[in-house]
Every structure is written in structure tokens, then in C-alpha cells.
Amino acid sequence: MPPSPEPEFALDALIAARLSRRGAIAGAGAAALLASLGRIGDAHTTESSLDFEELAARLGVDHDIAAGHRADVLIAWGDPVLPDAPPFTPDRPSVAAQERQFGYGNDYLAYFPLPHPDGEAGSDRGLLFVNHEATVPELMFKTYHSGESTLAECEVQLAAHGLSVVEVAREGGLWSVRADSSYNRRLPSNRTVFELRGPAAGHPRLCTRDDPSGTRVIGTLNNCAGGRTPWGTALSGEENVHHYFHLPRAPDADGQWEDSAPAVSPLVRERTNHARLGIGPAPYPFFQHIPRFHVEREPHEPNRFGWVVELDPYDPEAVPVKRTALGRFCHEGAETTLDPDGRVVVYMGDDGRGEYVYRFVSANSAHPKDRAANRNLLDEGTLFAARFFADGTLRWLPLVFGVGPLTPANGFESQADVLIETRRAADLVGATRMDRPEDVEASPTTGSVFVVLTNNSRRGRETGLDVDAANPRRENRTGHILELRPPRRADKPDHSADVFSWDVFLLGGDPARADSGARIGAGTSADGWLSCPDNIAFDRRGRLWIATDGHVDASGRPDGLWACDTDGAGRAATRRFYAVPMGAELCGPCFTPDGTTLFVAVQHPGEGSTYGAPSTRWPDFDPERPPRPAVVALQRLDGGPIGG
């Protein structure tokens, strides 16, 4: 793979170059920029628009929230979604029960007002879309033995994957799920049929024995962050799908890895593709009992995963669709915005060390008053990968068949091939390899696009992963966030422009440690600095709310939710707001339209322990129950907007 541009670019030189390039910044403006990227200052020297008292950093078995707020569990793994769902019985799990109950590993959340959104309507009643990323069998099954999963355990885990839609309502200041709502749905991954649409649909490389048409696939896997479309549908990214497909490999005499399977034509054709996605011996044992997860038996099945899924939560009969025009990789997020022409722009990260930031621009404009006209809008358009330069510019490189190196000479015969092998296409065009791109979202107030990079401890250790301007730390164990600025057209952010500018927003870590390389806004307290940023959300004032994954590993303190201003004297000065229990990470922060409720997903509490001896029994604290992933509603006690 070609290296990213501009290797070996020191952080201090990066800041100096940015100030030099933006020569118009002077006086107070330059001071503010230096403060925003400088080392930690006194905890009380910076003005912030946030009005909450910061939560102290402490790791515990329970969740915790800033004073003056409440955190209420809304729905947890095993709770009923459908009216006929049986009671949760963790010691007697069944597929039939799990298909009707809330799934495991809740990750992305999207709130859709009821009635259909119109201004501020629907902040007390709406639909909550939830995806279920992954399962932790050590915490799900009383009799689980590592590496010895039964068929029944595999089937229950598949049923616990997928998607959920639940109607929620706030009465008397408290949120609850309306269990009898006709909107409620469970779309379990063991039996739900998804359509494949767009340029890759029907391609021979998506055809299998079970689906010779290449247009219909059972299930969705490892759904992580997602997005909302302007026409009121949910997007969900299939992330680490390589964990599910088994391809046994052994080193040959030269130390190279080769497939142990016979040289069957489809498997040989897909060898490079599967390797580039990381497919090998599978951590999940589904292949032991379900043939389609064994790549030697079904070489094309992995190609049917790794896409962005779209679902209409307002239509209980809607068939979920995998939109192949948005590319195939380990999707983290698919947030949307509009360019001045009304075309839809979808920003996406590929959550892998040394992977890329992407953008999709639809060929046609959205119709704000006609949902049906937008039904297949994401099937036509152009996918781009980002290349960052040290002078503070970013160029979007089109991933289009026949353009540049994306030709038959390099193994691409059509746009379908480019999309199936998006990572290899981005390699060839020279996109910048990043430190695990996670959420990518545009600010509703400024139009700036924030790119979250969780961490990467291998930069400098692997070919093509030298330090560069956009990834300035060799041992980036604590992650960072970039801010991309699109140019303006018709006085609006032009998200479809070919060239953006960019800056470092913050570099995570403990600024008190000289070796951390952290850069967080002045005024950040000893409790307030963060590491390993993951998912983000903006409130109505354009302030950034940051969820973390791995902060506990980097600091010995819990993962959770932080907030900060994105402009002014308080820029990048983070404050701790909410903490999750032991073993958990925080995902999917999502506001109601009026900003008075913030829904969050607490994922895999107790991870690293076992069913019989969990590190926490959150949220029930029942000795007969294991810990359960759950969605939590965060509110102010006085009912006002969160953050002030």
C-alpha cells in the first residue's frame, strides 16, 4: 500500500505551519487557536457555555452522571420489544425469545419524532432506532465454554444481533417504552431478509447458493454507528464483519499466508479481497455450525456484508436495504448533510488501523416534501476517499471505475468491483491512512466536519504508517479529533466541494504527562481530559458531545461522555458528564429535538469477566442476572436543555 503523504511531521511544526498558513489569524484569534491546541491550563481560566458541574473521574460498578441530572435505564437486553415477547430468563435462553426481545450490544441510536417531524414536534414521543453490534457469550450463557459454542448458543447470538425500533414516550418527566406500539420491530440477524441495492447488487461476486440473484441476504452483522437521512430514515454501518467469516490459513515455507482450501476458482478470485478486509480464522464460532460463515464453503458470502443499511422506522413493513453505492469496508458512522444544491452527502469512517475517511455525494437532490422520491437516492452517486496535506488542505479522491488506477489492469472490471473492494481502491488512489476513523459528523451550526480518530498504537511500526500531518503521534494510544472546513457556496457549506481545509481540534490524553502529546482546550480540569474518542453528537447550539471507547485502558478511569464548545474561548475544553460502569463503553449519543433528553447506549458492561463472576451486575444488580447492555435516558432534574 502506498504511504500517506507528508510523513514525519512533528506536532509543534504542525501547529506553527497552521498559524503561518492562516495568516489572517492575529491577536486574540491566534491566542484562541493556540489555547485550543495548547497544553492544559488552569481549570478556571476559560469561559465555557456548558453549565453543568463536572463529574469526578471514578471507576465503579454503577453508572454516574453530573449533579443536577438523572440517568434512567430505558430498555436493556432481554426486555420485551414485541407484545408477545416472553419474560427474560438468562439461564434458559432461546432463539424464539430473543427474536422478540431487545438485542445485545446496543450501539447506534437515532430518535425519530412522532408524529412525523415538523419543527419542535415530537420531543415527548418518538421512535428510537437501535442497532445491536455484537455479543459477549461469556456474559450471556451460564454454561458457555470458550471455543466450544453449541449450535443453540450460536443461533441465540445471531438473533441478538440486528436492529430494533421501539416507540418511546415521556410522561411525568420519565421515559418509557410503549410495548404495545404497532411501530415496534425486531429485525434479528438469524432470519431477517435484507435487500442489496445499488451498483454492486446482482453482481456475480454477491451471488451464493442460497441467493443466486445476489440481491437478498439474511441478516446484518456488527452494526456500529450510523446516521439519519433528511427524509427520516435510519442508516446503520456494518463494521467488523471479518470477525464472523472463517478462512483457515497457515504460513507457507516463505512465511507468507495462504488459504488452506483447494484452489477453487471463486476462492482464488477473492483471496486478495478477503485478506484486505482482514478475513482469516474467525473469533466468532458461527462457522462451526452454520455453513455460510465458512469461506471455503461459500466464498462470496463475506461480500454481502460490510455495507450501510437503510431502514424506514415509520413503516413497520419496510424491508431493510444494504446500499452498495456507499462502499464496503468496516463502517463506523454514516451521518448525512446537504450541499447547496440539495444533494445528500454521507460522511463515513473505516474503523481500522491505517484505514480511511470517506464521503459519498448523491447524484440527485433530495426532495424535502416527498419521502417516496428519496427512497433510492443513495443508490446513485460518487464515493470519495480523503487525502490530507500538511499545508492544511484536504482533497477528496473519487473512487470511480476507469478513473486513475481503478482499471482492469489493477483487477477492477466495473464499479461493482470498486465498491466491493473499496479499501483496495482507496489504497491505489493514495488516500491518507488514518488512526482508526470512527464517527464523522458535520456541525449543524457551522458546517465544519469533525473526524474522530480513536487511537493507533502501531503507527510507525507498519509499512505505510509513518507519522504525518493528520496523524501526528507515533504512539497514538489516546486518539484525536480533526476539524474539516468545506468552502462556502451560496453562503452555505459546500460539502460536495473537491477541496476542504482542516485543522487538529484536539489530541486526547493526559496533558499533565510530558510524553502524552495531548492538546486539549485551556481550562480543562484534571477530571475533564479524555482519551480514545469514538462516537459524537452535536446539540442545538453546535457543542460537541464525545463518547469514548478505551479511555479506561488508557487512564484507569471509566469510559463515558464528555462535552465541549467548538468555537470561542472554550474551544476543545472538555468536561466529563456521564460515566459508564466497569467493562462498558459508551455509544450512540442522541438528542431529542428540544435538547432536553440525551439518549445513550451503554455497551457490554462487565466485559472481561464471566457470567458467574461478573465485574458488575449493572443495571439490575440482581444476583440471578448477568450484566445487561442498555439504553439510558439522560435529563436535567429541572427539565431544561442539557448543557444549558
Side-chain angles (χ1 to χ4, degrees), residues 359-415:
R359 177 191 73 173
F360 171 84
V361 181
S362 66
N364 300 305
S365 299
H367 294 264
K369 301 296 183 182
D370 186 355
R371 295 186 80 227
N374 302 318
R375 190 176 306 278
N376 298 314
L377 194 61
L378 299 182
D379 287 340
E380 295 182 38
T382 304
L383 184 65
F384 299 82
R387 179 166 179 167
F388 293 81
F389 295 92
D391 66 355
T393 58
L394 174 154
R395 181 168 293 277
W396 291 104
L397 310 174
L399 303 181
V400 177
F401 172 66
V403 175
L406 308 183
T407 63
N410 286 313
F412 299 101
E413 301 292 339
S414 66
Q415 183 63 18

Side-chain angles (χ1 to χ4, degrees), residues 256-583:
Q256 301 298 313
W257 290 91
E258 289 188 351
D259 302 318
S260 63
V264 197
S265 180
L267 191 57
V268 171
R269 169 67 176 86
E270 299 297 339
R271 178 179 287 129
T272 300
N273 172 36
H274 290 337
R276 186 62 184 87
L277 201 70
I279 294 174
Y284 275 99
F286 298 163
F287 70 93
Q288 297 174 1
H289 305 285
I290 306 171
R292 69 187 179 110
F293 291 108
H294 202 301
V295 182
E296 291 178 349
R297 300 180 182 180
E298 197 58 87
H300 289 160
E301 189 71 14
N303 293 344
R304 295 147 66 83
F305 296 85
W307 306 101
V308 170
V309 174
E310 183 175 11
L311 178 70
D312 185 353
Y314 292 105
D315 181 359
E317 302 300 322
V319 176
V321 178
K322 298 189 181 186
R323 301 291 183 189
T324 66
L326 276 64
R328 176 174 170 265
F329 46 88
C330 291
H331 282 276
E332 174 85 27
E335 286 292 350
T336 67
T337 189
L338 298 175
D339 82 347
D341 297 331
R343 288 182 294 169
V344 181
V345 179
V346 186
Y347 288 104
M348 300 168 285
D350 184 349
D351 185 8
R353 295 180 179 89
E355 296 304 338
Y356 305 112
V357 175
Y358 296 91
R359 177 191 73 173
F360 171 84
V361 181
S362 66
N364 300 305
S365 299
H367 294 264
K369 301 296 183 182
D370 186 355
R371 295 186 80 227
N374 302 318
R375 190 176 306 278
N376 298 314
L377 194 61
L378 299 182
D379 287 340
E380 295 182 38
T382 304
L383 184 65
F384 299 82
R387 179 166 179 167
F388 293 81
F389 295 92
D391 66 355
T393 58
L394 174 154
R395 181 168 293 277
W396 291 104
L397 310 174
L399 303 181
V400 177
F401 172 66
V403 175
L406 308 183
T407 63
N410 286 313
F412 299 101
E413 301 292 339
S414 66
Q415 183 63 18
D417 287 330
V418 172
L419 296 169
I420 292 168
E421 298 188 67
T422 300
R423 281 184 169 178
R424 191 166 70 87
D427 294 341
L428 290 170
V429 301
T432 301
R433 301 182 66 192
M434 309 294 286
D435 287 349
R436 287 189 59 197
E438 300 256 6
D439 224 348
V440 186
E441 296 194 23
S443 166
T445 56
T446 67
S448 286
V449 179
F450 288 75
V451 178
V452 181
L453 302 152
T454 290
N455 55 44
N456 184 1
S457 60
R458 298 180 187 174
R459 183 165 291 275
R461 300 182 184 181
E462 297 179 1
T463 303
L465 282 179
D466 290 324
V467 170
D468 59 48
N471 305 275
R473 290 188 287 191
R474 184 172 300 278
E475 289 291 332
N476 186 11
R477 297 182 181 277
T478 51
H480 60 295
I481 300 177
L482 304 180
E483 181 179 3
L484 319 183
R485 299 183 182 89
R488 299 189 76 83
R489 176 161 57 96
D491 201 32
K492 296 179 180 179
D494 186 3
H495 290 280
S496 61
D498 291 334
V499 179
F500 286 20
S501 63
W502 69 273
D503 275 307
V504 176
F505 179 70
L506 65 79
L507 291 106
D510 183 357
R513 291 183 50 181
D515 62 346
S516 72
R519 294 292 190 275
I520 301 177
T524 303
S525 76
D527 286 320
W529 61 266
L530 60 79
S531 63
C532 305
D534 190 327
N535 296 154
I536 57 175
F538 291 94
D539 63 21
R540 297 192 304 169
R541 293 180 56 176
R543 294 173 299 198
L544 190 63
W545 296 76
I546 306 166
T548 64
D549 175 15
H551 182 82
V552 67
D553 297 327
S555 68
R557 305 190 296 181
D559 278 311
L561 190 66
W562 284 253
C564 65
D565 292 314
T566 59
D567 288 302
R571 174 179 163 89
T574 54
R575 288 188 181 186
R576 183 189 299 264
F577 178 70
Y578 175 73
V580 296
M582 288 182 177

